[in-house]
Amino acid sequence: MKYFFPALMALVILAGISLVATPYVAEMLFPAQKTTLRTATPQQVSAALASWLGVESGRVKEAQGTSQMSAQGKTSWFTFTVDRQPVEHFIRANRMRQQDLTPEILQRVFVAQTPSADWWQPASLERQTCFISTDEGQELGLIYDAEQQKGFLVARTRAKAGSF
């Protein structure tokens, strides 16, 4: 009985210290708001888009891209110039649905979380429709003008709950 109260006091003090330190340790291990922005070279973007579109990288021109990773997931933005056929193949392969490009869809899919890049201007194509695909946590949005052969593509992948 002589050591009970000192041991209890030590236990309470250690519990208090651990409760104070837990948020700091958790933030170091699992950062909640850490956001990483990466901009790729035009050659890297061209090669990646060519792979997605199923063409040689030389056919994808004026390619630019950037991506952002955060605890919520990854978002990538691309602009490119390519002829119509590979884009049609990409739309069919990803089962994208054609939709009216309303101001709400433009805002939600293409303008929300906009990258800080002067080249990202999907509304500049002045299109009436867009193509959207949502599949297992991944969302693709595409605006393409066949006359100018120019496209804007956004790809979002949501982080799964419990993953890090």
Side-chain angles (χ1 to χ4, degrees):
M1 219 31 170
K2 170 172 136 176
Y3 297 108
F4 176 73
F5 288 109
L8 182 62
M9 187 182 306
L11 182 65
V12 170
I13 290 171
L14 287 174
I17 290 172
S18 67
L19 286 175
V20 169
T22 299
Y24 299 107
V25 172
E27 182 64 28
M28 288 186 330
L29 295 176
F30 308 107
Q33 297 301 324
K34 184 177 181 184
T35 301
T36 305
L37 187 65
R38 179 177 174 254
T39 301
T41 66
Q43 293 80 15
Q44 291 171 324
V45 175
S46 180
L49 287 172
S51 174
W52 277 19
L53 297 171
V55 297
E56 307 83 38
S57 61
R59 288 179 61 187
V60 179
K61 306 221 185 299
E62 301 175 24
Q64 296 186 41
T66 188
S67 64
Q68 176 181 349
M69 291 186 68
S70 68
Q72 291 77 28
K74 179 179 179 181
T75 303
S76 300
W77 299 269
F78 304 99
T79 184
F80 58 92
T81 301
V82 71
D83 54 275
R84 182 181 182 139
Q85 182 187 18
V87 175
E88 289 176 349
H89 174 72
F90 179 77
I91 291 169
R92 283 192 297 275
N94 288 287
R95 297 184 187 127
M96 299 179 85
R97 295 179 319 273
Q98 186 172 7
Q99 297 183 1
D100 291 335
L101 185 57
T102 63
E104 294 81 23
I105 290 178
L106 182 67
Q107 177 64 34
R108 181 181 57 82
V109 176
F110 297 97
V111 181
Q113 301 174 345
T114 302
S116 58
D118 58 346
W119 53 263
W120 183 254
Q121 299 177 4
S124 67
L125 291 180
E126 299 178 356
R127 304 307 302 162
Q128 302 291 321
T129 61
C130 65
F131 299 91
I132 296 176
S133 170
T134 305
D135 186 33
E136 296 180 20
Q138 181 177 4
E139 180 180 17
L140 295 173
L142 173 69
I143 299 176
Y144 182 74
D145 185 346
E147 295 163 0
Q148 296 179 29
Q149 296 185 339
K150 185 170 181 130
F152 289 91
L153 174 67
V154 62
R156 282 193 185 83
T157 305
R158 306 281 182 217
K160 294 179 183 172
S163 67
F164 57 92

